Amino acid sequence: MSRAVTVKTLMEMKREKKPIVSLTAYDYPFAKIADEAGVDVLLVGDSLGMVVQGGASTLGVTMDEMIYHTRTVARGAKRALVVGDMPFLSYQVSISEAIYNAGRFLKEAGAAAVKLEGGAAVVDRIKAMTDAGIPVQAHIGLTPQSVHQLGGYRVQRDADRLLLDAEAVESAGAFSVVLEGIPKDIAKNITAALSIPTIGIGAGRECDGQILVLHDMLGINDGHLPKFVKQYGSLRKSAVESIENYIKEVREGAFPGDEHTY
Ligand code: KIV
């Protein structure tokens, strides 16, 4: 097995122009599968509020829920860097709460880094966390925790502001920045301007890496998918077929057979 991925590895990958592959994970079995498949970074995203909990947004996710999910992911990851996503209101209220909550991901859940949403507005948090020894990944562009302020899940097109945000989080000490829902040319310029890696989601192929939501790319949930999602599997279909077969066999008396009986 190749050596464990650290924040330093990601910096080297940017320098060597090796694309960084990130994926979300929310539990032990999928973390283990993604880790064994060779994913570099597993983000325990607060997207779990939607794809795992069935919520309408990410806003209701709590710190305790994030710690629980991150702990299960960390148990499944041997090589990938595990990043815990700071949920809404876990870092906005004060710098001391932000450091305390970020520290919980490392201390209680086994993450190696945290992610938070925001650019110039959160640089004091990023600096305080990195000063405390906590690696921070920033997230700019379409930031889902600000859905009400953004007026919906919309592509963000203010190139000057996005570049200022990206430069601000780099100067504050972030080891990487997620670029979500921004036009590819803006993402390309930001990627060229920064020495830290950019990880794109709906930001084109010129970023230093990519991330997708696991349940979207594996086709686990039904419903609307954004344009940037490519489905690499159809696990929902396969699960429905398996469960329908089980129901049929139980109802017909075909399961359990002799081979499943003591
Ligand atoms: O919560 C999440 O899964 C995320 C990624 C989509 C970047 O923030």
Side-chain angles (χ1 to χ4, degrees), residues 24 26 43 45-47 85 115 139 178 180 201 211 213:
T24 69
Y26 313 104
L43 170 71
D46 66 352
S47 50
D85 204 5
K115 176 172 86 58
H139 180 166
V178 171
E180 178 164 355
I201 175 160
I211 183 161
V213 169

Side-chain angles (χ1 to χ4, degrees), residues 14-230:
K14 171 157 180 137
R15 278 196 297 275
E16 292 167 9
K17 298 196 181 322
K18 287 190 189 153
I20 298 165
V21 184
S22 305
L23 191 59
T24 69
Y26 313 104
D27 60 22
Y28 171 79
F30 276 112
K32 192 161 186 290
I33 289 168
D35 185 75
E36 287 172 2
V39 165
D40 301 309
V41 180
L42 286 174
L43 170 71
V44 189
D46 66 352
S47 50
L48 68 84
M50 299 170 85
V51 298
V52 176
Q53 298 176 338
S57 76
T58 60
L59 296 175
V61 177
T62 67
M63 262 309 293
D64 286 343
E65 288 165 349
M66 290 306 304
I67 294 294
Y68 166 82
H69 284 279
T70 305
R71 189 181 292 132
T72 65
V73 168
R75 286 182 188 142
K78 295 277 173 285
R79 174 184 170 271
L81 182 83
V82 175
V83 180
D85 204 5
M86 299 200 66
F88 183 56
L89 284 194
S90 68
Y91 56 95
Q92 289 90 343
V93 178
S94 69
I95 292 185
S96 56
E97 269 189 40
I99 297 174
Y100 177 74
N101 284 323
R104 287 189 65 194
F105 279 98
L106 276 59
K107 193 170 172 154
E108 297 176 34
V114 299
K115 176 172 86 58
L116 54 69
E117 295 184 10
V122 293
V123 291
D124 55 353
R125 271 65 178 158
I126 296 175
K127 184 166 185 323
M129 289 177 198
T130 51
D131 284 350
I134 303 165
V136 181
Q137 181 172 54
H139 180 166
I140 65 169
L142 195 181
T143 45
Q145 290 175 17
S146 307
V147 59
H148 297 304
Q149 195 171 42
L150 298 175
Y153 297 101
R154 296 168 190 277
V155 175
Q156 302 297 302
R157 299 176 187 279
D158 184 341
D160 293 340
R161 165 141 189 239
L162 287 164
L163 181 59
L164 284 176
D165 278 338
E167 289 173 339
V169 298
E170 173 171 77
S171 302
F175 71 87
S176 166
V177 57
V178 171
L179 306 179
E180 178 164 355
I182 69 178
K184 64 180 180 5
D185 292 341
I186 299 179
K188 183 178 173 186
N189 284 341
I190 292 174
T191 301
L194 299 189
S195 58
I196 58 170
T198 60
I199 306 296
I201 175 160
R205 71 170 79 93
E206 307 285 348
C207 299
D208 297 305
Q210 299 292 327
I211 183 161
L212 281 175
V213 169
L214 180 80
H215 288 47
D216 292 347
M217 62 88 76
L218 286 184
I220 293 179
N221 296 336
D222 53 359
H224 168 77
L225 286 177
K227 172 178 170 154
F228 61 75
V229 173
K230 177 167 177 181

